[in-house]
Amino acid sequence: DNLLSIDEIRDIVQQAKKLGLIHVNLTGGEPNLRKDLCDIIRACDPKNITVSIVTNAIKIRKQHMIDMKEAGLNTIQISIDDSNPMEHDRLRGVPGCYHQAMRVAKWARELDINLVFSCVISTENTQNDLEEIYKLVDPAEKEGAYLLLNDGAAVGGWEDQNEKMYSSE
């Protein structure tokens, strides 16, 4: 395993704080696959530093949200690929994941955890159509979330797939 230990994470955060660190964003892959995620959040010194996670929300249950809040989680950023639940599920390859994301969004609001919906803009979910991008505002407004739009990049699973990248046209 090449995963950092809790002590290694704590040490890195303490060193980075001396350099001015104010925010740790736990991302992945999927951070909720780590069974020690709450320990990681605590190791990031959430009393002094903003701690957030980026997640697809598929594996999160309410008690886990409560535990993350108690550990010091400040913000949850949930990946939303499309404003249409069926299309989101198709793009994610997991039936029901849109509705699960909305359940997690509701829990975040109940627990007073800042909520962000994040979408990587690509031709897969927008067909290069600005109107499709504007539709992403609807679930964010409905759920009281911030909306973060990210440009797609031809890296990782999208390497050599430039046709998926949003164009200036």
mmCIF file with all atom_site columns, all heavy atoms in Angstrom, residues 3-17 21 24 26 34 36-37 39-45 49:
data_model
loop_
_atom_site.group_PDB
_atom_site.id
_atom_site.type_symbol
_atom_site.label_atom_id
_atom_site.label_alt_id
_atom_site.label_comp_id
_atom_site.label_asym_id
_atom_site.label_entity_id
_atom_site.label_seq_id
_atom_site.pdbx_PDB_ins_code
_atom_site.Cartn_x
_atom_site.Cartn_y
_atom_site.Cartn_z
_atom_site.occupancy
_atom_site.B_iso_or_equiv
_atom_site.pdbx_formal_charge
_atom_site.auth_seq_id
_atom_site.auth_comp_id
_atom_site.auth_asym_id
_atom_site.auth_atom_id
_atom_site.pdbx_PDB_model_num
ATOM 1   N N   . LEU A 1 3  ? -0.537  4.266  0.508  1.00 0.00 ? 3  LEU A N   1
ATOM 2   C CA  . LEU A 1 3  ? -1.353  5.291  1.141  1.00 0.00 ? 3  LEU A CA  1
ATOM 3   C C   . LEU A 1 3  ? -0.601  5.917  2.315  1.00 0.00 ? 3  LEU A C   1
ATOM 4   O O   . LEU A 1 3  ? 0.113   5.229  3.045  1.00 0.00 ? 3  LEU A O   1
ATOM 5   C CB  . LEU A 1 3  ? -2.669  4.691  1.642  1.00 0.00 ? 3  LEU A CB  1
ATOM 6   C CG  . LEU A 1 3  ? -3.575  4.066  0.582  1.00 0.00 ? 3  LEU A CG  1
ATOM 7   C CD1 . LEU A 1 3  ? -4.807  3.458  1.239  1.00 0.00 ? 3  LEU A CD1 1
ATOM 8   C CD2 . LEU A 1 3  ? -3.978  5.084  -0.463 1.00 0.00 ? 3  LEU A CD2 1
ATOM 9   N N   . LEU A 1 4  ? -0.777  7.215  2.470  1.00 0.00 ? 4  LEU A N   1
ATOM 10  C CA  . LEU A 1 4  ? -0.174  7.895  3.608  1.00 0.00 ? 4  LEU A CA  1
ATOM 11  C C   . LEU A 1 4  ? -0.860  7.460  4.899  1.00 0.00 ? 4  LEU A C   1
ATOM 12  O O   . LEU A 1 4  ? -2.080  7.291  4.941  1.00 0.00 ? 4  LEU A O   1
ATOM 13  C CB  . LEU A 1 4  ? -0.308  9.408  3.453  1.00 0.00 ? 4  LEU A CB  1
ATOM 14  C CG  . LEU A 1 4  ? 0.466   10.062 2.315  1.00 0.00 ? 4  LEU A CG  1
ATOM 15  C CD1 . LEU A 1 4  ? 0.071   11.532 2.199  1.00 0.00 ? 4  LEU A CD1 1
ATOM 16  C CD2 . LEU A 1 4  ? 1.960   9.919  2.525  1.00 0.00 ? 4  LEU A CD2 1
ATOM 17  N N   . SER A 1 5  ? -0.077  7.334  5.953  1.00 0.00 ? 5  SER A N   1
ATOM 18  C CA  . SER A 1 5  ? -0.641  7.025  7.269  1.00 0.00 ? 5  SER A CA  1
ATOM 19  C C   . SER A 1 5  ? -1.216  8.306  7.871  1.00 0.00 ? 5  SER A C   1
ATOM 20  O O   . SER A 1 5  ? -0.918  9.417  7.412  1.00 0.00 ? 5  SER A O   1
ATOM 21  C CB  . SER A 1 5  ? 0.442   6.457  8.186  1.00 0.00 ? 5  SER A CB  1
ATOM 22  O OG  . SER A 1 5  ? 1.348   7.488  8.554  1.00 0.00 ? 5  SER A OG  1
ATOM 23  N N   . ILE A 1 6  ? -2.008  8.155  8.912  1.00 0.00 ? 6  ILE A N   1
ATOM 24  C CA  . ILE A 1 6  ? -2.572  9.313  9.617  1.00 0.00 ? 6  ILE A CA  1
ATOM 25  C C   . ILE A 1 6  ? -1.448  10.186 10.161 1.00 0.00 ? 6  ILE A C   1
ATOM 26  O O   . ILE A 1 6  ? -1.488  11.417 10.048 1.00 0.00 ? 6  ILE A O   1
ATOM 27  C CB  . ILE A 1 6  ? -3.522  8.866  10.747 1.00 0.00 ? 6  ILE A CB  1
ATOM 28  C CG1 . ILE A 1 6  ? -4.707  8.058  10.195 1.00 0.00 ? 6  ILE A CG1 1
ATOM 29  C CG2 . ILE A 1 6  ? -4.005  10.067 11.557 1.00 0.00 ? 6  ILE A CG2 1
ATOM 30  C CD1 . ILE A 1 6  ? -5.548  8.794  9.174  1.00 0.00 ? 6  ILE A CD1 1
ATOM 31  N N   . ASP A 1 7  ? -0.406  9.579  10.719 1.00 0.00 ? 7  ASP A N   1
ATOM 32  C CA  . ASP A 1 7  ? 0.720   10.359 11.248 1.00 0.00 ? 7  ASP A CA  1
ATOM 33  C C   . ASP A 1 7  ? 1.432   11.120 10.134 1.00 0.00 ? 7  ASP A C   1
ATOM 34  O O   . ASP A 1 7  ? 1.833   12.275 10.325 1.00 0.00 ? 7  ASP A O   1
ATOM 35  C CB  . ASP A 1 7  ? 1.705   9.450  11.985 1.00 0.00 ? 7  ASP A CB  1
ATOM 36  C CG  . ASP A 1 7  ? 1.152   8.973  13.326 1.00 0.00 ? 7  ASP A CG  1
ATOM 37  O OD1 . ASP A 1 7  ? 0.270   9.657  13.887 1.00 0.00 ? 7  ASP A OD1 1
ATOM 38  O OD2 . ASP A 1 7  ? 1.611   7.916  13.810 1.00 0.00 ? 7  ASP A OD2 1
ATOM 39  N N   . GLU A 1 8  ? 1.600   10.493 8.969  1.00 0.00 ? 8  GLU A N   1
ATOM 40  C CA  . GLU A 1 8  ? 2.237   11.178 7.841  1.00 0.00 ? 8  GLU A CA  1
ATOM 41  C C   . GLU A 1 8  ? 1.387   12.357 7.368  1.00 0.00 ? 8  GLU A C   1
ATOM 42  O O   . GLU A 1 8  ? 1.907   13.440 7.083  1.00 0.00 ? 8  GLU A O   1
ATOM 43  C CB  . GLU A 1 8  ? 2.468   10.204 6.683  1.00 0.00 ? 8  GLU A CB  1
ATOM 44  C CG  . GLU A 1 8  ? 3.550   9.175  6.962  1.00 0.00 ? 8  GLU A CG  1
ATOM 45  C CD  . GLU A 1 8  ? 3.613   8.075  5.923  1.00 0.00 ? 8  GLU A CD  1
ATOM 46  O OE1 . GLU A 1 8  ? 2.548   7.613  5.447  1.00 0.00 ? 8  GLU A OE1 1
ATOM 47  O OE2 . GLU A 1 8  ? 4.744   7.667  5.581  1.00 0.00 ? 8  GLU A OE2 1
ATOM 48  N N   . ILE A 1 9  ? 0.072   12.153 7.312  1.00 0.00 ? 9  ILE A N   1
ATOM 49  C CA  . ILE A 1 9  ? -0.836  13.237 6.907  1.00 0.00 ? 9  ILE A CA  1
ATOM 50  C C   . ILE A 1 9  ? -0.756  14.381 7.902  1.00 0.00 ? 9  ILE A C   1
ATOM 51  O O   . ILE A 1 9  ? -0.619  15.547 7.521  1.00 0.00 ? 9  ILE A O   1
ATOM 52  C CB  . ILE A 1 9  ? -2.278  12.712 6.764  1.00 0.00 ? 9  ILE A CB  1
ATOM 53  C CG1 . ILE A 1 9  ? -2.359  11.749 5.578  1.00 0.00 ? 9  ILE A CG1 1
ATOM 54  C CG2 . ILE A 1 9  ? -3.270  13.868 6.620  1.00 0.00 ? 9  ILE A CG2 1
ATOM 55  C CD1 . ILE A 1 9  ? -3.658  10.961 5.514  1.00 0.00 ? 9  ILE A CD1 1
ATOM 56  N N   . ARG A 1 10 ? -0.806  14.067 9.190  1.00 0.00 ? 10 ARG A N   1
ATOM 57  C CA  . ARG A 1 10 ? -0.730  15.095 10.237 1.00 0.00 ? 10 ARG A CA  1
ATOM 58  C C   . ARG A 1 10 ? 0.573   15.883 10.111 1.00 0.00 ? 10 ARG A C   1
ATOM 59  O O   . ARG A 1 10 ? 0.571   17.113 10.192 1.00 0.00 ? 10 ARG A O   1
ATOM 60  C CB  . ARG A 1 10 ? -0.837  14.449 11.615 1.00 0.00 ? 10 ARG A CB  1
ATOM 61  C CG  . ARG A 1 10 ? -0.920  15.444 12.751 1.00 0.00 ? 10 ARG A CG  1
ATOM 62  C CD  . ARG A 1 10 ? -1.106  14.773 14.111 1.00 0.00 ? 10 ARG A CD  1
ATOM 63  N NE  . ARG A 1 10 ? -2.390  14.096 14.187 1.00 0.00 ? 10 ARG A NE  1
ATOM 64  C CZ  . ARG A 1 10 ? -2.563  12.763 14.172 1.00 0.00 ? 10 ARG A CZ  1
ATOM 65  N NH1 . ARG A 1 10 ? -1.522  11.953 14.093 1.00 0.00 ? 10 ARG A NH1 1
ATOM 66  N NH2 . ARG A 1 10 ? -3.774  12.238 14.248 1.00 0.00 ? 10 ARG A NH2 1
ATOM 67  N N   . ASP A 1 11 ? 1.685   15.183 9.885  1.00 0.00 ? 11 ASP A N   1
ATOM 68  C CA  . ASP A 1 11 ? 2.983   15.840 9.756  1.00 0.00 ? 11 ASP A CA  1
ATOM 69  C C   . ASP A 1 11 ? 3.024   16.756 8.528  1.00 0.00 ? 11 ASP A C   1
ATOM 70  O O   . ASP A 1 11 ? 3.507   17.890 8.615  1.00 0.00 ? 11 ASP A O   1
ATOM 71  C CB  . ASP A 1 11 ? 4.093   14.786 9.669  1.00 0.00 ? 11 ASP A CB  1
ATOM 72  C CG  . ASP A 1 11 ? 5.472   15.407 9.616  1.00 0.00 ? 11 ASP A CG  1
ATOM 73  O OD1 . ASP A 1 11 ? 5.790   16.230 10.496 1.00 0.00 ? 11 ASP A OD1 1
ATOM 74  O OD2 . ASP A 1 11 ? 6.222   15.080 8.676  1.00 0.00 ? 11 ASP A OD2 1
ATOM 75  N N   . ILE A 1 12 ? 2.507   16.297 7.409  1.00 0.00 ? 12 ILE A N   1
ATOM 76  C CA  . ILE A 1 12 ? 2.480   17.110 6.188  1.00 0.00 ? 12 ILE A CA  1
ATOM 77  C C   . ILE A 1 12 ? 1.637   18.363 6.408  1.00 0.00 ? 12 ILE A C   1
ATOM 78  O O   . ILE A 1 12 ? 2.037   19.471 6.027  1.00 0.00 ? 12 ILE A O   1
ATOM 79  C CB  . ILE A 1 12 ? 1.949   16.287 4.993  1.00 0.00 ? 12 ILE A CB  1
ATOM 80  C CG1 . ILE A 1 12 ? 2.963   15.220 4.597  1.00 0.00 ? 12 ILE A CG1 1
ATOM 81  C CG2 . ILE A 1 12 ? 1.616   17.186 3.805  1.00 0.00 ? 12 ILE A CG2 1
ATOM 82  C CD1 . ILE A 1 12 ? 2.416   14.162 3.658  1.00 0.00 ? 12 ILE A CD1 1
ATOM 83  N N   . VAL A 1 13 ? 0.482   18.204 7.042  1.00 0.00 ? 13 VAL A N   1
ATOM 84  C CA  . VAL A 1 13 ? -0.394  19.353 7.301  1.00 0.00 ? 13 VAL A CA  1
ATOM 85  C C   . VAL A 1 13 ? 0.301   20.350 8.223  1.00 0.00 ? 13 VAL A C   1
ATOM 86  O O   . VAL A 1 13 ? 0.266   21.558 7.984  1.00 0.00 ? 13 VAL A O   1
ATOM 87  C CB  . VAL A 1 13 ? -1.756  18.904 7.876  1.00 0.00 ? 13 VAL A CB  1
ATOM 88  C CG1 . VAL A 1 13 ? -2.551  20.083 8.410  1.00 0.00 ? 13 VAL A CG1 1
ATOM 89  C CG2 . VAL A 1 13 ? -2.559  18.152 6.811  1.00 0.00 ? 13 VAL A CG2 1
ATOM 90  N N   . GLN A 1 14 ? 0.958   19.868 9.262  1.00 0.00 ? 14 GLN A N   1
ATOM 91  C CA  . GLN A 1 14 ? 1.646   20.775 10.181 1.00 0.00 ? 14 GLN A CA  1
ATOM 92  C C   . GLN A 1 14 ? 2.765   21.536 9.473  1.00 0.00 ? 14 GLN A C   1
ATOM 93  O O   . GLN A 1 14 ? 2.948   22.736 9.700  1.00 0.00 ? 14 GLN A O   1
ATOM 94  C CB  . GLN A 1 14 ? 2.177   20.002 11.395 1.00 0.00 ? 14 GLN A CB  1
ATOM 95  C CG  . GLN A 1 14 ? 1.094   19.458 12.314 1.00 0.00 ? 14 GLN A CG  1
ATOM 96  C CD  . GLN A 1 14 ? 0.112   20.523 12.771 1.00 0.00 ? 14 GLN A CD  1
ATOM 97  O OE1 . GLN A 1 14 ? 0.497   21.610 13.195 1.00 0.00 ? 14 GLN A OE1 1
ATOM 98  N NE2 . GLN A 1 14 ? -1.177  20.226 12.672 1.00 0.00 ? 14 GLN A NE2 1
ATOM 99  N N   . GLN A 1 15 ? 3.501   20.851 8.605  1.00 0.00 ? 15 GLN A N   1
ATOM 100 C CA  . GLN A 1 15 ? 4.554   21.528 7.836  1.00 0.00 ? 15 GLN A CA  1
ATOM 101 C C   . GLN A 1 15 ? 3.942   22.568 6.893  1.00 0.00 ? 15 GLN A C   1
ATOM 102 O O   . GLN A 1 15 ? 4.458   23.689 6.782  1.00 0.00 ? 15 GLN A O   1
ATOM 103 C CB  . GLN A 1 15 ? 5.355   20.516 7.022  1.00 0.00 ? 15 GLN A CB  1
ATOM 104 C CG  . GLN A 1 15 ? 6.241   19.603 7.856  1.00 0.00 ? 15 GLN A CG  1
ATOM 105 C CD  . GLN A 1 15 ? 6.975   18.609 6.986  1.00 0.00 ? 15 GLN A CD  1
ATOM 106 O OE1 . GLN A 1 15 ? 7.625   18.999 6.022  1.00 0.00 ? 15 GLN A OE1 1
ATOM 107 N NE2 . GLN A 1 15 ? 6.873   17.332 7.327  1.00 0.00 ? 15 GLN A NE2 1
ATOM 108 N N   . ALA A 1 16 ? 2.858   22.196 6.239  1.00 0.00 ? 16 ALA A N   1
ATOM 109 C CA  . ALA A 1 16 ? 2.210   23.113 5.283  1.00 0.00 ? 16 ALA A CA  1
ATOM 110 C C   . ALA A 1 16 ? 1.599   24.313 6.007  1.00 0.00 ? 16 ALA A C   1
ATOM 111 O O   . ALA A 1 16 ? 1.588   25.425 5.467  1.00 0.00 ? 16 ALA A O   1
ATOM 112 C CB  . ALA A 1 16 ? 1.158   22.363 4.475  1.00 0.00 ? 16 ALA A CB  1
ATOM 113 N N   . LYS A 1 17 ? 1.101   24.112 7.238  1.00 0.00 ? 17 LYS A N   1
ATOM 114 C CA  . LYS A 1 17 ? 0.558   25.238 8.014  1.00 0.00 ? 17 LYS A CA  1
ATOM 115 C C   . LYS A 1 17 ? 1.627   26.299 8.243  1.00 0.00 ? 17 LYS A C   1
ATOM 116 O O   . LYS A 1 17 ? 1.334   27.492 8.177  1.00 0.00 ? 17 LYS A O   1
ATOM 117 C CB  . LYS A 1 17 ? 0.025   24.742 9.370  1.00 0.00 ? 17 LYS A CB  1
ATOM 118 C CG  . LYS A 1 17 ? -1.398  24.285 9.316  1.00 0.00 ? 17 LYS A CG  1
ATOM 119 C CD  . LYS A 1 17 ? -1.899  23.751 10.642 1.00 0.00 ? 17 LYS A CD  1
ATOM 120 C CE  . LYS A 1 17 ? -1.589  24.598 11.835 1.00 0.00 ? 17 LYS A CE  1
ATOM 121 N NZ  . LYS A 1 17 ? -2.106  24.038 13.096 1.00 0.00 ? 17 LYS A NZ  1
ATOM 122 N N   . LEU A 1 21 ? -0.715  27.242 4.878  1.00 0.00 ? 21 LEU A N   1
ATOM 123 C CA  . LEU A 1 21 ? -1.869  26.419 4.505  1.00 0.00 ? 21 LEU A CA  1
ATOM 124 C C   . LEU A 1 21 ? -3.132  26.882 5.223  1.00 0.00 ? 21 LEU A C   1
ATOM 125 O O   . LEU A 1 21 ? -3.115  27.093 6.439  1.00 0.00 ? 21 LEU A O   1
ATOM 126 C CB  . LEU A 1 21 ? -1.605  24.949 4.848  1.00 0.00 ? 21 LEU A CB  1
ATOM 127 C CG  . LEU A 1 21 ? -2.752  23.973 4.597  1.00 0.00 ? 21 LEU A CG  1
ATOM 128 C CD1 . LEU A 1 21 ? -2.938  23.752 3.104  1.00 0.00 ? 21 LEU A CD1 1
ATOM 129 C CD2 . LEU A 1 21 ? -2.475  22.655 5.310  1.00 0.00 ? 21 LEU A CD2 1
ATOM 130 N N   . VAL A 1 24 ? -7.472  22.270 3.150  1.00 0.00 ? 24 VAL A N   1
ATOM 131 C CA  . VAL A 1 24 ? -7.114  20.946 2.650  1.00 0.00 ? 24 VAL A CA  1
ATOM 132 C C   . VAL A 1 24 ? -8.355  20.387 1.963  1.00 0.00 ? 24 VAL A C   1
ATOM 133 O O   . VAL A 1 24 ? -9.435  20.336 2.564  1.00 0.00 ? 24 VAL A O   1
ATOM 134 C CB  . VAL A 1 24 ? -6.667  19.997 3.781  1.00 0.00 ? 24 VAL A CB  1
ATOM 135 C CG1 . VAL A 1 24 ? -6.474  18.582 3.251  1.00 0.00 ? 24 VAL A CG1 1
ATOM 136 C CG2 . VAL A 1 24 ? -5.395  20.502 4.436  1.00 0.00 ? 24 VAL A CG2 1
ATOM 137 N N   . LEU A 1 26 ? -9.721  17.044 0.280  1.00 0.00 ? 26 LEU A N   1
ATOM 138 C CA  . LEU A 1 26 ? -9.487  15.610 0.142  1.00 0.00 ? 26 LEU A CA  1
ATOM 139 C C   . LEU A 1 26 ? -10.244 15.110 -1.080 1.00 0.00 ? 26 LEU A C   1
ATOM 140 O O   . LEU A 1 26 ? -11.473 15.225 -1.151 1.00 0.00 ? 26 LEU A O   1
ATOM 141 C CB  . LEU A 1 26 ? -9.948  14.876 1.404  1.00 0.00 ? 26 LEU A CB  1
ATOM 142 C CG  . LEU A 1 26 ? -9.300  15.365 2.696  1.00 0.00 ? 26 LEU A CG  1
ATOM 143 C CD1 . LEU A 1 26 ? -9.980  14.752 3.909  1.00 0.00 ? 26 LEU A CD1 1
ATOM 144 C CD2 . LEU A 1 26 ? -7.809  15.085 2.700  1.00 0.00 ? 26 LEU A CD2 1
ATOM 145 N N   . ARG A 1 34 ? -11.635 5.262  1.844  1.00 0.00 ? 34 ARG A N   1
ATOM 146 C CA  . ARG A 1 34 ? -10.741 5.105  2.990  1.00 0.00 ? 34 ARG A CA  1
ATOM 147 C C   . ARG A 1 34 ? -11.583 4.961  4.251  1.00 0.00 ? 34 ARG A C   1
ATOM 148 O O   . ARG A 1 34 ? -12.381 5.822  4.578  1.00 0.00 ? 34 ARG A O   1
ATOM 149 C CB  . ARG A 1 34 ? -9.816  6.329  3.141  1.00 0.00 ? 34 ARG A CB  1
ATOM 150 C CG  . ARG A 1 34 ? -8.794  6.486  2.054  1.00 0.00 ? 34 ARG A CG  1
ATOM 151 C CD  . ARG A 1 34 ? -7.369  6.183  2.349  1.00 0.00 ? 34 ARG A CD  1
ATOM 152 N NE  . ARG A 1 34 ? -6.776  6.250  3.647  1.00 0.00 ? 34 ARG A NE  1
ATOM 153 C CZ  . ARG A 1 34 ? -5.564  6.745  3.880  1.00 0.00 ? 34 ARG A CZ  1
ATOM 154 N NH1 . ARG A 1 34 ? -4.864  7.286  2.893  1.00 0.00 ? 34 ARG A NH1 1
ATOM 155 N NH2 . ARG A 1 34 ? -5.054  6.704  5.081  1.00 0.00 ? 34 ARG A NH2 1
ATOM 156 N N   . ASP A 1 36 ? -10.574 5.168  7.148  1.00 0.00 ? 36 ASP A N   1
ATOM 157 C CA  . ASP A 1 36 ? -10.073 6.090  8.166  1.00 0.00 ? 36 ASP A CA  1
ATOM 158 C C   . ASP A 1 36 ? -10.268 7.554  7.767  1.00 0.00 ? 36 ASP A C   1
ATOM 159 O O   . ASP A 1 36 ? -9.551  8.428  8.248  1.00 0.00 ? 36 ASP A O   1
ATOM 160 C CB  . ASP A 1 36 ? -8.600  5.802  8.461  1.00 0.00 ? 36 ASP A CB  1
ATOM 161 C CG  . ASP A 1 36 ? -7.699  5.928  7.230  1.00 0.00 ? 36 ASP A CG  1
ATOM 162 O OD1 . ASP A 1 36 ? -8.216  6.087  6.101  1.00 0.00 ? 36 ASP A OD1 1
ATOM 163 O OD2 . ASP A 1 36 ? -6.465  5.842  7.405  1.00 0.00 ? 36 ASP A OD2 1
ATOM 164 N N   . LEU A 1 37 ? -11.274 7.837  6.936  1.00 0.00 ? 37 LEU A N   1
ATOM 165 C CA  . LEU A 1 37 ? -11.476 9.198  6.454  1.00 0.00 ? 37 LEU A CA  1
ATOM 166 C C   . LEU A 1 37 ? -11.695 10.191 7.597  1.00 0.00 ? 37 LEU A C   1
ATOM 167 O O   . LEU A 1 37 ? -11.162 11.295 7.574  1.00 0.00 ? 37 LEU A O   1
ATOM 168 C CB  . LEU A 1 37 ? -12.634 9.268  5.452  1.00 0.00 ? 37 LEU A CB  1
ATOM 169 C CG  . LEU A 1 37 ? -12.915 10.647 4.857  1.00 0.00 ? 37 LEU A CG  1
ATOM 170 C CD1 . LEU A 1 37 ? -11.687 11.199 4.137  1.00 0.00 ? 37 LEU A CD1 1
ATOM 171 C CD2 . LEU A 1 37 ? -14.105 10.590 3.916  1.00 0.00 ? 37 LEU A CD2 1
ATOM 172 N N   . ASP A 1 39 ? -10.508 10.011 10.591 1.00 0.00 ? 39 ASP A N   1
ATOM 173 C CA  . ASP A 1 39 ? -9.193  10.230 11.204 1.00 0.00 ? 39 ASP A CA  1
ATOM 174 C C   . ASP A 1 39 ? -8.348  11.170 10.340 1.00 0.00 ? 39 ASP A C   1
ATOM 175 O O   . ASP A 1 39 ? -7.614  12.008 10.858 1.00 0.00 ? 39 ASP A O   1
ATOM 176 C CB  . ASP A 1 39 ? -8.460  8.902  11.393 1.00 0.00 ? 39 ASP A CB  1
ATOM 177 C CG  . ASP A 1 39 ? -9.133  8.007  12.415 1.00 0.00 ? 39 ASP A CG  1
ATOM 178 O OD1 . ASP A 1 39 ? -9.737  8.539  13.376 1.00 0.00 ? 39 ASP A OD1 1
ATOM 179 O OD2 . ASP A 1 39 ? -9.058  6.773  12.256 1.00 0.00 ? 39 ASP A OD2 1
ATOM 180 N N   . ILE A 1 40 ? -8.466  11.032 9.024  1.00 0.00 ? 40 ILE A N   1
ATOM 181 C CA  . ILE A 1 40 ? -7.742  11.917 8.108  1.00 0.00 ? 40 ILE A CA  1
ATOM 182 C C   . ILE A 1 40 ? -8.234  13.352 8.285  1.00 0.00 ? 40 ILE A C   1
ATOM 183 O O   . ILE A 1 40 ? -7.428  14.288 8.358  1.00 0.00 ? 40 ILE A O   1
ATOM 184 C CB  . ILE A 1 40 ? -7.903  11.452 6.645  1.00 0.00 ? 40 ILE A CB  1
ATOM 185 C CG1 . ILE A 1 40 ? -7.182  10.117 6.437  1.00 0.00 ? 40 ILE A CG1 1
ATOM 186 C CG2 . ILE A 1 40 ? -7.391  12.510 5.670  1.00 0.00 ? 40 ILE A CG2 1
ATOM 187 C CD1 . ILE A 1 40 ? -7.471  9.454  5.106  1.00 0.00 ? 40 ILE A CD1 1
ATOM 188 N N   . ILE A 1 41 ? -9.552  13.531 8.360  1.00 0.00 ? 41 ILE A N   1
ATOM 189 C CA  . ILE A 1 41 ? -10.115 14.874 8.562  1.00 0.00 ? 41 ILE A CA  1
ATOM 190 C C   . ILE A 1 41 ? -9.561  15.482 9.850  1.00 0.00 ? 41 ILE A C   1
ATOM 191 O O   . ILE A 1 41 ? -9.095  16.622 9.861  1.00 0.00 ? 41 ILE A O   1
ATOM 192 C CB  . ILE A 1 41 ? -11.658 14.827 8.570  1.00 0.00 ? 41 ILE A CB  1
ATOM 193 C CG1 . ILE A 1 41 ? -12.184 14.460 7.175  1.00 0.00 ? 41 ILE A CG1 1
ATOM 194 C CG2 . ILE A 1 41 ? -12.242 16.163 9.047  1.00 0.00 ? 41 ILE A CG2 1
ATOM 195 C CD1 . ILE A 1 41 ? -13.670 14.104 7.132  1.00 0.00 ? 41 ILE A CD1 1
ATOM 196 N N   . ARG A 1 42 ? -9.578  14.709 10.933 1.00 0.00 ? 42 ARG A N   1
ATOM 197 C CA  . ARG A 1 42 ? -9.044  15.205 12.211 1.00 0.00 ? 42 ARG A CA  1
ATOM 198 C C   . ARG A 1 42 ? -7.555  15.537 12.097 1.00 0.00 ? 42 ARG A C   1
ATOM 199 O O   . ARG A 1 42 ? -7.091  16.532 12.655 1.00 0.00 ? 42 ARG A O   1
ATOM 200 C CB  . ARG A 1 42 ? -9.285  14.188 13.322 1.00 0.00 ? 42 ARG A CB  1
ATOM 201 C CG  . ARG A 1 42 ? -10.704 14.196 13.850 1.00 0.00 ? 42 ARG A CG  1
ATOM 202 C CD  . ARG A 1 42 ? -10.859 13.304 15.079 1.00 0.00 ? 42 ARG A CD  1
ATOM 203 N NE  . ARG A 1 42 ? -10.927 11.895 14.734 1.00 0.00 ? 42 ARG A NE  1
ATOM 204 C CZ  . ARG A 1 42 ? -12.025 11.253 14.345 1.00 0.00 ? 42 ARG A CZ  1
ATOM 205 N NH1 . ARG A 1 42 ? -13.180 11.890 14.278 1.00 0.00 ? 42 ARG A NH1 1
ATOM 206 N NH2 . ARG A 1 42 ? -11.983 9.979  14.054 1.00 0.00 ? 42 ARG A NH2 1
ATOM 207 N N   . ALA A 1 43 ? -6.806  14.729 11.353 1.00 0.00 ? 43 ALA A N   1
ATOM 208 C CA  . ALA A 1 43 ? -5.366  14.955 11.192 1.00 0.00 ? 43 ALA A CA  1
ATOM 209 C C   . ALA A 1 43 ? -5.074  16.236 10.415 1.00 0.00 ? 43 ALA A C   1
ATOM 210 O O   . ALA A 1 43 ? -3.968  16.782 10.511 1.00 0.00 ? 43 ALA A O   1
ATOM 211 C CB  . ALA A 1 43 ? -4.727  13.755 10.487 1.00 0.00 ? 43 ALA A CB  1
ATOM 212 N N   . CYS A 1 44 ? -6.065  16.729 9.687  1.00 0.00 ? 44 CYS A N   1
ATOM 213 C CA  . CYS A 1 44 ? -5.892  17.961 8.900  1.00 0.00 ? 44 CYS A CA  1
ATOM 214 C C   . CYS A 1 44 ? -6.122  19.219 9.724  1.00 0.00 ? 44 CYS A C   1
ATOM 215 O O   . CYS A 1 44 ? -6.125  20.316 9.172  1.00 0.00 ? 44 CYS A O   1
ATOM 216 C CB  . CYS A 1 44 ? -6.819  17.934 7.676  1.00 0.00 ? 44 CYS A CB  1
ATOM 217 S SG  . CYS A 1 44 ? -6.338  16.705 6.459  1.00 0.00 ? 44 CYS A SG  1
ATOM 218 N N   . ASP A 1 45 ? -6.321  19.061 11.037 1.00 0.00 ? 45 ASP A N   1
ATOM 219 C CA  . ASP A 1 45 ? -6.462  20.195 11.952 1.00 0.00 ? 45 ASP A CA  1
ATOM 220 C C   . ASP A 1 45 ? -7.644  21.101 11.582 1.00 0.00 ? 45 ASP A C   1
ATOM 221 O O   . ASP A 1 45 ? -7.476  22.304 11.358 1.00 0.00 ? 45 ASP A O   1
ATOM 222 C CB  . ASP A 1 45 ? -5.162  20.995 11.987 1.00 0.00 ? 45 ASP A CB  1
ATOM 223 C CG  . ASP A 1 45 ? -5.107  21.987 13.137 1.00 0.00 ? 45 ASP A CG  1
ATOM 224 O OD1 . ASP A 1 45 ? -5.946  21.915 14.052 1.00 0.00 ? 45 ASP A OD1 1
ATOM 225 O OD2 . ASP A 1 45 ? -4.214  22.855 13.103 1.00 0.00 ? 45 ASP A OD2 1
ATOM 226 N N   . ILE A 1 49 ? -7.926  24.888 10.038 1.00 0.00 ? 49 ILE A N   1
ATOM 227 C CA  . ILE A 1 49 ? -7.835  24.813 8.581  1.00 0.00 ? 49 ILE A CA  1
ATOM 228 C C   . ILE A 1 49 ? -9.174  24.328 8.035  1.00 0.00 ? 49 ILE A C   1
ATOM 229 O O   . ILE A 1 49 ? -9.792  23.427 8.599  1.00 0.00 ? 49 ILE A O   1
ATOM 230 C CB  . ILE A 1 49 ? -6.718  23.837 8.166  1.00 0.00 ? 49 ILE A CB  1
ATOM 231 C CG1 . ILE A 1 49 ? -5.359  24.372 8.614  1.00 0.00 ? 49 ILE A CG1 1
ATOM 232 C CG2 . ILE A 1 49 ? -6.723  23.576 6.663  1.00 0.00 ? 49 ILE A CG2 1
ATOM 233 C CD1 . ILE A 1 49 ? -4.238  23.379 8.446  1.00 0.00 ? 49 ILE A CD1 1
#
